[in-house]
């Protein structure tokens, strides 16, 4: 298995003065409406075909069987995430061997379940705990839209948490939950959900994957997250 992170392909080191230096080429665009949008080489605002061309070359070099990217909303609406989705959908269709393409989503039932868990388990005035009926992230989908679920093993989840702890300026990992810089308490998932989509169009492909929807990834029960 080879992991080729899109960030390493397209985003330059933030310490460099110009795009094209460092590990990638383009610059972080920041959220919509922020000053970072105007930086030279901001990923979300450069020509899409240039991004696609660079990403296609990087993917061709590793000849992947599977490619995973953001959904069309970019997860939470970040312009760079949306651009990466668009570029990945286009790039996978240009490869000499077409891989299976998946977008990361969150099933609606998981949000309800995990918010209830947070309300029951997170204590302290410092943290914000979302109500069950608070606004949902744009990448939340109806359960029926999910085609594949990957359940994390205990070893994999431990490694995941250790990796998150290396990004102290962006995330704080607690016991079974985490916070970003907004201090909103969010349950650490024990599984990931995906929609298989068509390279070139990004349209969902028919059919369901194993283990057949969400039955094998309820996340409930003693010791689960």
């Amino acid at each position: 298995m080879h992991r080729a992170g899109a960030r390493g392909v397209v985003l330059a080191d933030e310490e460099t003065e110009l795009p094209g230096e460092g590990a990638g080429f383009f610059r972080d665009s920041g959220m919509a409406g922020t000053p970072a949008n105007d930086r030279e080489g901001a990923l979300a605002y450069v020509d899409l075909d240039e991004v696609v061309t660079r990403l296609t070359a990087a993917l061709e070099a590793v000849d992947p069987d599977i490619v995973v990217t953001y959904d069309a909303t970019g997860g939470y609406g970040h312009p760079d995430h949306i651009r990466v989705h668009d570029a990945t959908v286009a790039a996978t269709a240009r490869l000499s061997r077409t891989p299976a393409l998946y977008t990361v989503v969150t099933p609606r039932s998981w949000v309800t379940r995990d918010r209830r868990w947070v309300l029951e388990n997170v204590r302290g005035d410092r943290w914000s705990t979302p109500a069950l009926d608070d606004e949902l992230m744009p990448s939340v989908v109806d359960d029926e839209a999910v085609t594949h679920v990957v359940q994390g093993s205990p070893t994999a989840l431990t490694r995941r948490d250790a990796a998150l702890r290396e990004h102290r300026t962006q995330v704080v990992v607690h016991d079974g939950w985490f916070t970003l810089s907004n201090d909103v308490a969010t349950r650490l998932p024990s599984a990931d959900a995906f929609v298989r989509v068509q390279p070139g169009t990004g349209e969902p492909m028919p059919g369901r994957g194993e283990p057949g929807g969400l039955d094998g990834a309820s996340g409930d029960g003693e010791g689960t997250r």
Side-chain angles (χ1 to χ4, degrees):
M1 179 179 292
H2 185 97
R3 178 180 178 275
R7 189 192 191 288
V9 173
V10 298
L11 287 183
D13 190 325
E14 285 299 295
E15 299 301 319
T16 61
E17 295 184 2
L18 296 172
E21 300 177 350
F25 186 80
F26 305 107
R27 306 301 295 272
D28 189 328
S29 306
M31 291 300 291
T34 63
N37 298 169
D38 299 325
R39 293 196 301 181
E40 181 183 358
L43 173 61
Y45 304 100
V46 298
D47 182 69
L48 177 61
D49 191 64
E50 184 177 359
V51 183
V52 173
T53 298
R54 291 179 178 276
L55 186 56
T56 300
L59 290 173
E60 194 71 66
V62 297
D63 187 27
D65 297 310
I66 294 172
V67 174
V68 177
T69 188
Y70 301 102
D71 76 336
T73 72
Y76 57 89
H78 194 296
D80 285 345
H81 296 184
I82 296 171
R83 180 50 60 96
V84 167
H85 163 85
D86 295 345
T88 304
V89 168
T92 49
R94 295 185 183 183
L95 299 178
S96 56
R97 188 173 68 89
T98 305
L101 178 61
Y102 298 86
T103 58
V104 182
V105 296
T106 304
R108 193 176 303 274
S109 67
W110 291 13
V111 176
T112 302
R113 177 202 69 201
D114 291 347
R115 285 182 174 180
R116 184 174 289 113
W117 184 93
V118 166
L119 290 169
E120 293 172 352
N121 290 276
V122 176
R123 299 290 181 267
D125 296 335
R126 176 179 175 182
W127 320 114
S128 174
T129 53
L132 295 179
D133 59 353
D134 276 359
E135 184 179 0
L136 300 176
M137 300 285 274
S139 57
V140 173
V141 300
D142 292 336
D143 291 17
E144 294 75 18
V146 174
T147 61
H148 293 71
V149 172
V150 176
Q151 180 75 46
S153 67
T155 299
L157 295 176
T158 297
R159 290 176 177 173
R160 185 273 313 276
D161 294 352
L164 286 173
R165 289 188 175 96
E166 294 299 315
H167 299 273
R168 297 179 183 86
T169 61
Q170 299 188 44
V171 59
V172 178
V173 179
H174 304 268
D175 185 14
W177 54 286
F178 70 95
T179 56
L180 300 177
S181 57
N182 57 10
D183 288 336
V184 175
T186 304
R187 192 182 187 188
L188 281 163
S190 61
D192 289 299
F194 306 89
V195 176
R196 186 171 181 181
V197 299
Q198 182 69 46
T201 68
E203 292 298 316
M205 296 183 68
R208 301 184 69 86
E210 296 298 334
L214 309 182
D215 295 342
S218 67
D220 296 321
E222 186 68 20
T224 59
R225 291 192 289 189

